[in-house]
Short mmCIF file of all heavy atoms in Angstrom, two decimals:
data_model
loop_
_atom_site.label_atom_id
_atom_site.label_comp_id
_atom_site.label_asym_id
_atom_site.label_seq_id
_atom_site.Cartn_x
_atom_site.Cartn_y
_atom_site.Cartn_z
N GLU A 3 0.83 -1.19 0.00
CA GLU A 3 0.00 0.00 0.00
C GLU A 3 0.88 1.25 0.00
O GLU A 3 2.03 1.22 0.43
CB GLU A 3 -0.92 0.00 1.21
CG GLU A 3 -1.88 -1.19 1.25
CD GLU A 3 -2.73 -1.21 2.50
OE1 GLU A 3 -2.59 -0.27 3.32
OE2 GLU A 3 -3.52 -2.16 2.67
N SER A 4 0.30 2.34 -0.47
CA SER A 4 1.08 3.57 -0.61
C SER A 4 1.62 4.06 0.72
O SER A 4 2.75 4.56 0.80
CB SER A 4 0.23 4.66 -1.28
OG SER A 4 -0.93 4.92 -0.53
N ASP A 5 0.82 3.93 1.81
CA ASP A 5 1.32 4.41 3.10
C ASP A 5 2.46 3.53 3.61
O ASP A 5 3.37 4.01 4.30
CB ASP A 5 0.19 4.50 4.12
CG ASP A 5 -0.50 3.17 4.35
OD1 ASP A 5 -0.31 2.25 3.53
OD2 ASP A 5 -1.24 3.04 5.35
N GLN A 6 2.44 2.23 3.29
CA GLN A 6 3.55 1.36 3.67
C GLN A 6 4.83 1.76 2.93
O GLN A 6 5.92 1.81 3.52
CB GLN A 6 3.21 -0.09 3.36
CG GLN A 6 2.09 -0.67 4.21
CD GLN A 6 1.73 -2.08 3.79
OE1 GLN A 6 1.75 -2.43 2.61
NE2 GLN A 6 1.39 -2.91 4.76
N LYS A 7 4.70 2.06 1.64
CA LYS A 7 5.87 2.47 0.86
C LYS A 7 6.39 3.83 1.31
O LYS A 7 7.61 4.03 1.40
CB LYS A 7 5.50 2.50 -0.63
CG LYS A 7 5.22 1.11 -1.20
CD LYS A 7 5.01 1.14 -2.70
CE LYS A 7 3.67 1.70 -3.07
NZ LYS A 7 3.39 1.55 -4.52
N ASP A 8 5.47 4.74 1.62
CA ASP A 8 5.90 6.06 2.11
C ASP A 8 6.64 5.94 3.44
O ASP A 8 7.65 6.63 3.67
CB ASP A 8 4.69 6.98 2.26
CG ASP A 8 4.08 7.37 0.92
OD1 ASP A 8 4.77 7.21 -0.11
OD2 ASP A 8 2.92 7.82 0.91
N LEU A 9 6.13 5.07 4.32
CA LEU A 9 6.78 4.88 5.62
C LEU A 9 8.18 4.30 5.43
O LEU A 9 9.15 4.78 6.04
CB LEU A 9 5.93 3.97 6.50
CG LEU A 9 6.51 3.62 7.88
CD1 LEU A 9 6.74 4.87 8.71
CD2 LEU A 9 5.61 2.64 8.62
N ALA A 10 8.30 3.27 4.59
CA ALA A 10 9.61 2.65 4.37
C ALA A 10 10.60 3.64 3.78
O ALA A 10 11.75 3.74 4.21
CB ALA A 10 9.45 1.44 3.46
N SER A 11 10.16 4.40 2.79
CA SER A 11 11.04 5.38 2.16
C SER A 11 11.45 6.47 3.15
O SER A 11 12.61 6.90 3.19
CB SER A 11 10.34 6.00 0.94
OG SER A 11 11.18 6.92 0.29
N GLY A 12 10.50 6.91 3.97
CA GLY A 12 10.81 7.94 4.96
C GLY A 12 11.79 7.47 6.01
O GLY A 12 12.70 8.20 6.42
N ILE A 13 11.62 6.22 6.47
CA ILE A 13 12.53 5.67 7.47
C ILE A 13 13.96 5.62 6.95
O ILE A 13 14.92 5.92 7.67
CB ILE A 13 12.05 4.26 7.88
CG1 ILE A 13 10.78 4.37 8.73
CG2 ILE A 13 13.14 3.51 8.64
CD1 ILE A 13 10.09 3.05 8.96
N LEU A 14 14.11 5.26 5.69
CA LEU A 14 15.45 5.10 5.13
C LEU A 14 16.08 6.42 4.67
O LEU A 14 17.29 6.61 4.80
CB LEU A 14 15.40 4.13 3.95
CG LEU A 14 15.14 2.67 4.29
CD1 LEU A 14 14.91 1.86 3.02
CD2 LEU A 14 16.30 2.08 5.09
N TYR A 15 15.25 7.34 4.14
CA TYR A 15 15.85 8.46 3.40
C TYR A 15 15.41 9.86 3.85
O TYR A 15 16.00 10.83 3.41
CB TYR A 15 15.55 8.28 1.90
CG TYR A 15 16.15 7.01 1.36
CD1 TYR A 15 15.34 5.96 0.95
CD2 TYR A 15 17.53 6.85 1.29
CE1 TYR A 15 15.89 4.77 0.47
CE2 TYR A 15 18.08 5.67 0.81
CZ TYR A 15 17.25 4.64 0.40
OH TYR A 15 17.81 3.48 -0.06
N GLU A 16 14.41 9.99 4.70
CA GLU A 16 14.06 11.33 5.20
C GLU A 16 15.16 11.82 6.14
O GLU A 16 15.68 11.04 6.95
CB GLU A 16 12.73 11.30 5.93
CG GLU A 16 11.52 11.26 5.00
CD GLU A 16 11.40 12.52 4.17
OE1 GLU A 16 11.70 13.61 4.68
OE2 GLU A 16 11.01 12.40 2.98
N PRO A 17 15.52 13.10 6.09
CA PRO A 17 16.63 13.61 6.92
C PRO A 17 16.37 13.44 8.42
O PRO A 17 17.28 13.10 9.17
CB PRO A 17 16.72 15.09 6.53
CG PRO A 17 16.07 15.17 5.19
CD PRO A 17 15.00 14.13 5.17
N SER A 18 15.13 13.70 8.88
CA SER A 18 14.87 13.63 10.31
C SER A 18 13.38 13.49 10.56
O SER A 18 12.56 13.99 9.80
CB SER A 18 15.39 14.89 11.01
OG SER A 18 15.08 14.86 12.40
N PHE A 19 13.04 12.77 11.63
CA PHE A 19 11.67 12.69 12.10
C PHE A 19 11.38 13.74 13.18
O PHE A 19 10.27 13.83 13.68
CB PHE A 19 11.39 11.31 12.70
CG PHE A 19 11.17 10.23 11.68
CD1 PHE A 19 11.24 10.50 10.33
CD2 PHE A 19 10.86 8.94 12.08
CE1 PHE A 19 11.03 9.51 9.38
CE2 PHE A 19 10.66 7.93 11.16
CZ PHE A 19 10.74 8.22 9.80
N ILE A 20 12.38 14.52 13.54
CA ILE A 20 12.28 15.43 14.67
C ILE A 20 11.91 16.83 14.19
O ILE A 20 12.44 17.32 13.19
CB ILE A 20 13.60 15.50 15.45
CG1 ILE A 20 14.02 14.10 15.91
CG2 ILE A 20 13.49 16.44 16.63
CD1 ILE A 20 13.03 13.44 16.85
N ILE A 21 10.97 17.47 14.90
CA ILE A 21 10.61 18.86 14.62
C ILE A 21 11.54 19.76 15.43
O ILE A 21 11.48 19.81 16.66
CB ILE A 21 9.14 19.13 14.99
CG1 ILE A 21 8.21 18.19 14.21
CG2 ILE A 21 8.77 20.58 14.72
CD1 ILE A 21 6.76 18.29 14.61
N ASP A 22 12.43 20.45 14.73
CA ASP A 22 13.48 21.22 15.40
C ASP A 22 12.94 22.27 16.35
O ASP A 22 13.53 22.55 17.40
CB ASP A 22 14.39 21.89 14.35
CG ASP A 22 15.26 20.87 13.61
OD1 ASP A 22 15.47 19.78 14.15
OD2 ASP A 22 15.70 21.18 12.49
N SER A 23 11.81 22.88 16.01
CA SER A 23 11.27 23.95 16.85
C SER A 23 10.81 23.45 18.21
O SER A 23 10.62 24.24 19.13
CB SER A 23 10.10 24.64 16.12
OG SER A 23 9.06 23.70 15.88
N LEU A 24 10.65 22.13 18.37
CA LEU A 24 10.20 21.57 19.64
C LEU A 24 11.36 21.11 20.52
O LEU A 24 11.14 20.64 21.63
CB LEU A 24 9.27 20.37 19.38
CG LEU A 24 8.00 20.66 18.57
CD1 LEU A 24 7.19 19.38 18.41
CD2 LEU A 24 7.16 21.73 19.27
N ILE A 25 12.59 21.25 20.05
CA ILE A 25 13.73 20.72 20.79
C ILE A 25 14.31 21.73 21.77
O ILE A 25 14.60 21.41 22.91
CB ILE A 25 14.83 20.27 19.80
CG1 ILE A 25 14.29 19.16 18.90
CG2 ILE A 25 16.06 19.79 20.55
CD1 ILE A 25 15.26 18.75 17.82
N GLY A 26 14.48 22.95 21.33
CA GLY A 26 15.18 23.93 22.15
C GLY A 26 16.65 23.97 21.78
O GLY A 26 17.12 23.28 20.88
N GLU A 27 17.41 24.77 22.49
CA GLU A 27 18.82 24.99 22.14
C GLU A 27 19.78 24.15 22.96
O GLU A 27 20.99 24.21 22.76
CB GLU A 27 19.15 26.48 22.33
CG GLU A 27 18.33 27.40 21.43
CD GLU A 27 18.69 28.85 21.63
OE1 GLU A 27 19.56 29.11 22.49
OE2 GLU A 27 18.11 29.70 20.94
N SER A 28 19.30 23.37 23.89
CA SER A 28 20.18 22.56 24.73
C SER A 28 20.86 21.47 23.92
O SER A 28 20.24 20.78 23.11
CB SER A 28 19.37 21.93 25.87
OG SER A 28 20.11 20.93 26.52
N GLY A 29 22.18 21.30 24.16
CA GLY A 29 22.91 20.24 23.50
C GLY A 29 22.43 18.86 23.92
O GLY A 29 22.37 17.93 23.12
N PHE A 30 22.05 18.75 25.21
CA PHE A 30 21.51 17.48 25.69
C PHE A 30 20.19 17.16 25.00
O PHE A 30 19.94 16.02 24.61
CB PHE A 30 21.31 17.55 27.21
CG PHE A 30 20.64 16.33 27.77
CD1 PHE A 30 21.37 15.17 28.03
CD2 PHE A 30 19.28 16.33 28.05
CE1 PHE A 30 20.75 14.04 28.54
CE2 PHE A 30 18.66 15.22 28.57
CZ PHE A 30 19.40 14.06 28.81
N ALA A 31 19.33 18.18 24.85
CA ALA A 31 18.05 17.97 24.18
C ALA A 31 18.26 17.55 22.73
O ALA A 31 17.54 16.70 22.21
CB ALA A 31 17.21 19.25 24.25
N ARG A 32 19.26 18.15 22.09
CA ARG A 32 19.55 17.79 20.70
C ARG A 32 20.01 16.33 20.60
O ARG A 32 19.58 15.57 19.73
CB ARG A 32 20.65 18.70 20.16
CG ARG A 32 21.13 18.43 18.75
CD ARG A 32 20.12 18.91 17.73
NE ARG A 32 19.30 17.84 17.19
CZ ARG A 32 18.34 18.04 16.31
NH1 ARG A 32 18.06 19.26 15.91
NH2 ARG A 32 17.63 17.03 15.85
N ALA A 33 20.89 15.92 21.50
CA ALA A 33 21.39 14.54 21.49
C ALA A 33 20.27 13.55 21.79
O ALA A 33 20.16 12.49 21.16
CB ALA A 33 22.51 14.38 22.52
N TYR A 34 19.40 13.92 22.74
CA TYR A 34 18.27 13.06 23.09
C TYR A 34 17.33 12.93 21.90
O TYR A 34 16.83 11.85 21.59
CB TYR A 34 17.54 13.65 24.30
CG TYR A 34 16.37 12.85 24.76
CD1 TYR A 34 16.55 11.76 25.61
CD2 TYR A 34 15.07 13.18 24.38
CE1 TYR A 34 15.47 11.01 26.05
CE2 TYR A 34 13.98 12.44 24.82
CZ TYR A 34 14.19 11.36 25.66
OH TYR A 34 13.12 10.62 26.09
N ALA A 35 17.08 14.05 21.21
CA ALA A 35 16.19 14.03 20.05
C ALA A 35 16.76 13.19 18.93
O ALA A 35 16.05 12.43 18.26
CB ALA A 35 15.92 15.46 19.58
N ASP A 36 18.07 13.30 18.69
CA ASP A 36 18.71 12.51 17.64
C ASP A 36 18.62 11.02 17.95
O ASP A 36 18.37 10.20 17.05
CB ASP A 36 20.17 12.92 17.47
CG ASP A 36 20.31 14.30 16.84
OD1 ASP A 36 19.33 14.78 16.23
OD2 ASP A 36 21.40 14.91 16.97
N GLN A 37 18.82 10.65 19.21
CA GLN A 37 18.71 9.24 19.58
C GLN A 37 17.27 8.77 19.43
O GLN A 37 17.02 7.64 18.99
CB GLN A 37 19.21 9.04 21.01
CG GLN A 37 19.13 7.60 21.50
CD GLN A 37 20.04 6.65 20.72
OE1 GLN A 37 20.93 7.10 20.00
NE2 GLN A 37 19.82 5.36 20.88
#
């Protein structure tokens, strides 16, 4: 299905699942978000 293919493609090739505006400027928050 199209949503399955979109999910697979996003998992492999989208730059990030994280919304940067919700992280803040803390280095710890950035590392936690990346993990």
Side-chain angles (χ1 to χ4, degrees):
E3 299 177 2
S4 58
D5 59 345
Q6 292 176 324
K7 293 186 285 188
D8 291 343
L9 177 60
S11 181
I13 288 169
L14 290 171
Y15 299 112
E16 283 295 323
S18 177
F19 283 1
I20 304 298
I21 301 174
D22 290 338
S23 61
L24 301 180
I25 298 175
E27 299 181 359
S28 167
F30 175 81
R32 177 75 259 178
Y34 181 83
D36 289 342
Q37 180 64 15

